Amino acid sequence: MNDSQLTRVGVIGTGGMGSRHVVNLHRYVGGATVTTVYDLDQGKAAQAADQAGGASIADDPIQLIQSPNVDAVLIASPDDTHARMTLACLEAGKPVLCEKPLATTVDDAVEVLDAEIGCGRRLVSVGFMRRFDPQHLAVKQAALSDEIGRPLLFKGVHRNASVAFGISGATVLTNSAGHDFDSARWLLGEEVQEVYVRGLRSRPELHPDTRDLLVIEMVLSNNCMAVAEVYVNDSYGYEVSAELVCQSGAAVTMQPDLALVRAGGHRGHRVPSDWLSRFQDAYVAELLDWIGSIQSEQPFHGASTWDGYAAMMVTSACIQSLGSGAVVPVLLPEKPDFYR
Ligand code: ISE
């Protein structure tokens, strides 16, 4: 592929996630080149530009989006900027991969939905990367086979080693649990209809308002259910699992272990430290699919704006349930044909 055929990518936000996307695009996605980066932190932007082999550094994100040297945009800036950056990409008519969450409010998600439908082209992809994880794909394939019958129940475990900030239940739901909502919807092939959420503070020394361990119960369409444990201060490492319990069988993700280590009278497997290491293969596969979809003008195989909107609708209902202690309905409208 010669340079003129490469997709020129601009990356907004070059913190932990964004800089990993820059390195993955530069090293593993042959059809793309990172031409421009932006971060509020000039030092991070400069480091990412260097990691990309000498990308330009934009003065602001809109300049990056509108640059003639950018064909497609990857958004990895703070969560509450995602919707506004995505809207700017739609206005510029440029394909965009927006890291989750698509938005931090339902209203913002609706604005993106309406803007994409209005421009008449599917330009938005959302970074629910578990859809590209080999272990999750194997569970999905098992569910699609006739071997284990119709899926009935999703069970998710989502654990982070620690969080660097005092964390409310609403932040855990908006920033982290969206993955589990998307996994439940995607693996079951159904929509969430009601939720019930309880949370607790894992340690007395944490701020009284901390809710770093949540249990989320969901009822979905077609007589399905889901339950997710989201714990962001487990202290031992990063672990995610997804299980489907079906009419005549079950399928659960295996931990992607590389070695069984024997030492000091113990034997065991290393636990990844964070999502970047656990889902590295998924992030590369997601980027390859995204760039491939742009170049082939075929649909992206990951999450769409509708999925990002649906996740935010579930998140909003969960925040209400956590606060009230009641079951809360998720009043999702019919999916537009534009997203079928
Ligand atoms: C982070 O942004 C991610 O997307 C990770 O997958 C998730 O486990 C983590 O909790 C989030 O903060």
Side-chain angles (χ1 to χ4, degrees):
M1 182 177 283
N2 62 54
D3 287 358
S4 65
Q5 296 171 302
L6 294 175
T7 297
R8 297 168 299 173
V9 180
V11 178
I12 300 173
T14 56
M17 187 73 259
S19 58
R20 176 60 65 91
H21 281 313
V22 167
V23 170
N24 285 340
L25 281 164
H26 184 65
R27 283 187 188 165
Y28 306 115
V29 185
T33 178
V34 178
T35 58
T36 317
V37 297
Y38 168 80
D39 196 285
L40 204 56
D41 180 321
Q42 292 285 327
K44 287 181 181 176
Q47 185 178 16
D50 184 49
Q51 288 170 325
S56 304
I57 300 174
D59 296 332
D60 68 68
I62 302 305
Q63 182 195 65
L64 180 148
I65 291 167
Q66 295 174 349
S67 167
N69 296 318
V70 170
D71 304 314
V73 180
L74 193 155
I75 299 169
S77 46
D79 293 356
D80 61 2
T81 68
H82 291 181
R84 181 164 50 87
M85 296 294 112
T86 302
L87 287 168
C89 292
L90 287 170
E91 190 173 338
K94 295 190 179 179
V96 49
L97 174 57
C98 179
E99 265 296 337
K100 38 58 59 186
L102 173 68
T104 52
T105 69
V106 168
D107 288 348
D108 285 356
V110 170
E111 191 174 355
V112 175
L113 201 69
D114 291 344
E116 187 175 39
I117 293 172
C119 85
R121 293 168 57 197
R122 293 278 296 274
L123 290 173
V124 181
S125 304
V126 180
F128 285 121
M129 78 292 176
R130 294 184 189 177
R131 294 184 181 218
F132 294 92
D133 174 55
Q135 285 76 13
H136 284 73
L137 283 164
V139 170
K140 180 71 177 174
Q141 286 310 311
L144 294 173
S145 74
D146 294 333
E147 192 180 3
I148 54 179
R150 184 174 77 83
L152 303 170
L153 169 66
F154 165 87
K155 296 198 297 184
V157 172
H158 180 179
R159 295 178 185 155
N160 286 201
S162 65
V163 286
F165 42 83
I167 197 157
S168 67
T171 302
V172 175
L173 289 163
T174 305
N175 175 264
S176 304
H179 282 298
D180 308 285
F181 306 150
D182 186 67
S183 290
R185 292 181 58 249
W186 171 59
L187 290 173
L188 289 169
E190 303 293 345
E191 292 294 1
V192 179
Q193 293 178 330
E194 66 179 38
V195 298
Y196 174 66
V197 183
R198 300 310 292 261
L200 58 77
R201 173 177 55 151
S202 66
R203 298 168 177 82
E205 64 270 23
L206 297 174
H207 186 281
D209 293 340
T210 301
R211 294 294 178 272
D212 54 343
L213 171 58
L214 302 180
V215 175
I216 302 149
E217 296 179 6
M218 295 167 262
V219 172
L220 293 92
S221 51
N222 199 16
N223 192 33
C224 290
M225 296 193 294
V227 59
E229 170 220 311
V230 182
Y231 182 27
V232 294
N233 271 317
D234 72 22
S235 301
Y236 73 86
Y238 185 84
E239 274 196 315
V240 165
S241 73
E243 179 174 15
L244 279 187
V245 179
C246 304
Q247 287 171 319
S248 46
V252 63
T253 53
M254 299 297 288
Q255 295 307 325
D257 301 310
L258 297 177
L260 179 64
V261 179
R262 289 174 169 84
H266 296 274
R267 59 170 181 260
H269 301 282
R270 299 258 182 257
V271 178
S273 54
D274 59 23
W275 51 92
L276 297 177
S277 49
R278 166 63 183 83
F279 288 110
Q280 168 61 10
D281 291 349
Y283 286 124
V284 172
E286 182 181 56
L287 289 172
L288 286 166
D289 192 280
W290 179 53
I291 296 297
S293 71
I294 293 168
Q295 293 178 345
S296 64
E297 297 185 353
Q298 294 300 312
F300 173 62
H301 292 98
S304 68
T305 301
W306 175 262
D307 299 308
Y309 161 66
M312 190 57 227
M313 284 287 282
V314 177
T315 300
S316 175
C318 284
I319 292 171
Q320 291 177 58
S321 178
L322 180 63
S324 67
V327 171
V328 175
V330 179
L331 305 177
L332 198 69
E334 190 70 22
K335 184 190 289 190
D337 290 340
F338 187 75
Y339 290 104
R340 290 189 182 282

